[in-house]
Amino acid sequence: MRRTHYCGNVNTSNVNEQVVLEGWVNRRRDLGGLIFIDLRDREGLVQVVVQPESPAYAEADRVRSEWVVRVTGTVRARPAEQVNARIASGEVEVVAEGLEVLAEAKTPPFPVDAAWRGEEDQAVSEDIRMRYRVVDLRRRALQRNLRLRHKVVAAIYRFLDQEGFISVETPFLTRSTPEGARDFLVPSRLQPGQFYALPQSPQLFKQMLMVAGYDRYFQIARCFRDEDLRADRQPDFTQLDLEMSFVDQEDVLELNERLAAYVFEEALGVELPIPFPRMTYAEAMNRYGSDKPDLRFGLEMRDVTERFRGGEFRAFAGAEVVKALVAPAALSRREIEELEAIAKGKGAAGLAWSRYEGGAFSGGIAKFIPEGLARELGVQEGQTALFVAGPWRKSVESLGAVRLELGKRLGLAEEGFKFLWVVDFPLLEWDEENGRWTYMHHPFTSPNLEDLELLERDPGKVRARAYDMVMNGTEVGGGSIRIHRRDLQERMFALLGIGPEEAQEKFGFLLEALSFGAPPHGGIAWGLDRWVANMAGEDSIREVIAFPKNKEGRDPLTEAPSPVAEAQLAELGIALRKSDG
């Protein structure tokens, strides 16, 4: 007989029905003759009762955890005192009439049964979990996360289809172009000595689709970047990629707000208020020390540069900027030292402080604090004022990192989801190491048309027509209005130190496409892994990816990357150089 129900879906409406269930043995208990099996599948578990006289008893007596079985039986209601409110099927049980072992299983390296019973899973190291990912994926949390991911993707397809978007796939094997990170290279057997690159994003292809007249494109795209890993980075990752023609920035933002609201409603049943608030890059950096501020708590930074200008405290008197932050707690010296280490890690020279006690500042730099500053900062009794001074960027970023750490330590973040658009980014930033201007987003981002006259004269003041979507302090999406005129794209390349010959060599196909008449266009990419991780309440995107890489970029399950045979290398015309060590 074939399966009639999922285990977790059996309920009181099925009482007296005969059912066929298939799944894994979550737990087996022998209570003096009666055998109880918690049978599990993707929808949950149900209790199976095997009586001594049942034809299923002999097989039930030998099954163990994680064996795969088929059970035939009749559903009955549990006595009131035996109802298990922690599981969906807790009001019923299945009296087994037959049990077939479909596959035996060796003892798993760690238990996966607790959360399915409504209890807490045992803590297991991530390395072990990833080595035995096929077992790890049976845990309830990962099953829930991947189901959520599916719901998000399905909602995206429904919404964008209704909005007239067309899904188009772009190549995995393409040309290496400078887009901000290292490429993964793929050697060509048919053209020895030449290489494809795996795409960092479909950026250039989606722009060419706009030139080709496809007007509204999207793709759930796989992307590849050879960069150092963090909790929210993987060498291969997934993004929602979309592009629109004949639009301005407001059109893109408005559509993505509606898309986000639709996704949250469909996947989580959560209503998002739209429109999202907007904040310029300069305002975000000055108030929160980050271009992706977490708005679930306050702790805004204040500029107190002029209050210390020319004063007795020499470290502050001539500083480019002095920033202040009020911590809503009387921090100990040890806590301040720990926060100072965080500030120094972001480039600050130090972290100055003073507590507000008995109606006055005391400790730290108390004697140098100007009269009336406590009132201006709104410092309350028992709070601690923290200060950073120095170059603007290092000062705001270092105190911003301290702000985030305080929010975490003091549990200040509100429940729920806070969205924000950050706009008006600088188009360019100065690369100290190479002594030249470089792009902040990518070289195809359009400058603000009001700033075009500054492009060569004062590049640092040119604003980009770029925007980032921020959720709970994480950048979950970013995009821009693109350059659609060849002459402006060539000006941009020149500003970046890319001469005509190099531009033609690396981007000739794009420049030629633009010369055939390109519509104004723009778009965005959502970091799908980050989206789902935030929605699921996970700190790492590895918790929402079926088969992720670890912190070293390795796959412990398949042991990739791995050596390949000399014959394979020879066929590609590749020889490995021995390390000097």
Side-chain angles (χ1 to χ4, degrees), residues 469-531:
M469 181 189 283
V470 179
M471 181 204 307
N472 291 357
T474 299
E475 178 199 331
V476 293
S480 65
I481 301 300
R482 324 301 185 185
I483 297 172
H484 73 282
R485 296 193 341 247
R486 177 170 180 156
D487 62 326
L488 184 54
Q489 186 64 72
E490 289 174 330
R491 283 176 68 186
M492 182 69 170
F493 285 152
L495 199 58
L496 296 170
I498 301 173
E501 290 185 6
E502 184 181 0
Q504 185 61 37
E505 178 194 349
K506 293 180 177 178
F507 303 105
F509 59 95
L510 173 67
L511 294 173
E512 183 177 38
L514 295 180
S515 69
F516 283 114
H521 59 279
I524 196 169
W526 287 13
L528 192 65
D529 309 304
R530 294 182 185 181
W531 261 85

Side-chain angles (χ1 to χ4, degrees), residues 28-36 49-54 57 61:
R28 173 192 174 279
R29 292 161 289 149
D30 190 334
L31 301 183
L34 281 178
I35 295 175
F36 291 88
V49 182
V50 188
Q51 298 168 331
E53 64 274 14
S54 170
Y57 193 84
D61 191 42

Side-chain angles (χ1 to χ4, degrees), residues 313-459:
F313 192 34
R314 294 178 62 186
F316 285 13
E320 179 184 339
V321 68
V322 183
K323 288 287 182 177
L325 179 69
V326 178
L331 301 176
S332 67
R333 286 300 301 270
R334 180 178 177 179
E335 289 173 316
I336 292 170
E337 288 171 1
E338 291 170 348
L339 293 172
E340 183 174 40
I342 291 172
K344 286 183 174 179
K346 290 291 186 178
L351 181 68
W353 63 276
S354 185
R355 299 189 197 92
Y356 197 71
E357 301 168 324
F361 282 112
S362 65
I365 64 167
K367 66 180 181 179
F368 298 112
I369 295 179
E371 186 72 27
L373 189 59
R375 183 178 62 256
E376 292 178 25
L377 295 177
V379 184
Q380 303 294 317
E381 184 70 22
Q383 297 184 337
T384 307
L386 304 170
F387 303 88
V388 169
W392 174 79
R393 184 154 190 165
K394 288 183 178 179
S395 297
V396 295
E397 288 184 346
S398 58
L399 199 56
V402 170
R403 172 186 178 267
L404 287 176
E405 181 63 20
L406 282 171
K408 185 186 304 180
R409 291 189 180 196
L410 300 177
L412 301 179
E414 299 174 1
E415 292 293 325
F417 301 94
K418 292 282 188 178
F419 279 83
L420 170 73
W421 287 110
V422 177
V423 298
D424 287 349
F425 285 85
L427 180 70
L428 304 162
E429 54 187 347
W430 185 251
D431 182 347
E432 293 283 355
E433 185 176 341
N434 296 306
R436 65 182 185 185
W437 292 104
T438 187
Y439 45 84
M440 182 167 274
H441 283 80
H442 55 62
F444 320 109
T445 297
S446 172
N448 188 308
L449 301 183
E450 297 176 1
D451 299 340
L452 278 182
E453 62 178 22
L454 301 172
L455 199 56
E456 286 82 14
R457 179 163 55 87
D458 197 352

Side-chain angles (χ1 to χ4, degrees), residues 236-359:
D236 49 344
F237 59 95
T238 307
Q239 67 183 37
L240 161 63
D241 199 58
L242 68 83
E243 198 79 4
M244 308 162 65
S245 291
F246 303 107
V247 293
D248 59 22
Q249 178 171 303
E250 190 58 37
D251 296 319
V252 180
L253 269 55
E254 187 272 339
L255 178 126
N256 277 269
E257 288 171 346
R258 290 191 292 111
L259 173 56
Y262 182 84
V263 167
F264 264 75
E265 178 66 37
E266 292 290 299
L268 290 182
V270 171
E271 185 176 345
L272 293 182
I274 56 175
F276 300 156
R278 316 280 170 90
M279 188 178 295
T280 66
Y281 168 84
E283 183 182 1
M285 296 294 287
N286 278 308
R287 290 172 60 185
Y288 300 101
S290 172
D291 60 3
K292 47 182 183 296
D294 191 340
L295 300 187
R296 291 175 298 170
F297 63 99
L299 291 191
E300 292 189 30
M301 303 185 318
R302 298 285 295 275
D303 191 306
V304 293
T305 309
E306 295 306 317
R307 298 290 274 117
F308 285 93
R309 179 80 67 200
E312 297 179 17
F313 192 34
R314 294 178 62 186
F316 285 13
E320 179 184 339
V321 68
V322 183
K323 288 287 182 177
L325 179 69
V326 178
L331 301 176
S332 67
R333 286 300 301 270
R334 180 178 177 179
E335 289 173 316
I336 292 170
E337 288 171 1
E338 291 170 348
L339 293 172
E340 183 174 40
I342 291 172
K344 286 183 174 179
K346 290 291 186 178
L351 181 68
W353 63 276
S354 185
R355 299 189 197 92
Y356 197 71
E357 301 168 324

Side-chain angles (χ1 to χ4, degrees), residues 1 75 85 104 118 147 163 186 188 215 255 327 335 381 387 414 460 526 551:
M1 297 179 64
V75 181
E104 297 182 6
R147 294 281 291 276
E163 294 286 330
V186 181
S188 170
D215 193 72
L255 178 126
E335 289 173 316
E381 184 70 22
F387 303 88
E414 299 174 1
W526 287 13
K551 297 174 184 177

